Amino acid sequence: QVQLVESGGGLVQPGGSLRLSCAASGSIFRINAMGWYRQAPGKQRDLVAGLSSSGVTNYADSVKGRFTISRDNAENTLYLQMNSLRPEDTAVYYCKFAGRPDFHSVKDYDYWGQGTQVTVSS
C-alpha cells in the first residue's frame, strides 16, 4: 500500500515562506512523475509544480520565480519551497506521484496525499 503524507503547511503572512514536504511510504515499482497541486475554495485543483523522473521541472505561471520543487531521492520525499507568498496562494496543497505499481502494469496510476492547508493572511 502506497501512502503520501504532506506536511509543512500553516498560516503565514504575505511575503513569508513555507516549505512543504511529501513523504512516501510503501512501494511503487516505477515513479515517472511527481508534482504539487493546489485547490482553493470554489476552484479547480491545478498543477503548481511538476518534476519528471529525469529532473525536468515545470511551474504554473503564477508561481514561477517564487516556488521551487525538489526531491530527496534517498528518502522518497518531495518538497515545495514557497517564497514571497501571496494571499492568492491560499489553498490546500496536495502532492502526487504517478507511476506503475508493479512490473505487469500497463499504465500509470496516480497516488495522492491528503493535503496540507496553506493560508496566507495578515
Side-chain angles (χ1 to χ4, degrees), residues 16-56:
S17 298
L18 286 173
R19 189 178 76 159
L20 306 183
S21 299
C22 175
S25 63
S27 63
I28 303 174
F29 179 72
R30 186 182 184 92
I31 298 172
N32 291 319
M34 296 173 283
W36 287 96
Y37 295 72
R38 68 186 181 189
Q39 187 169 23
K43 295 186 177 181
Q44 298 290 106
R45 185 178 298 186
D46 295 323
L47 177 70
V48 176
L51 178 65
S52 75
S53 60
S54 63
V56 177

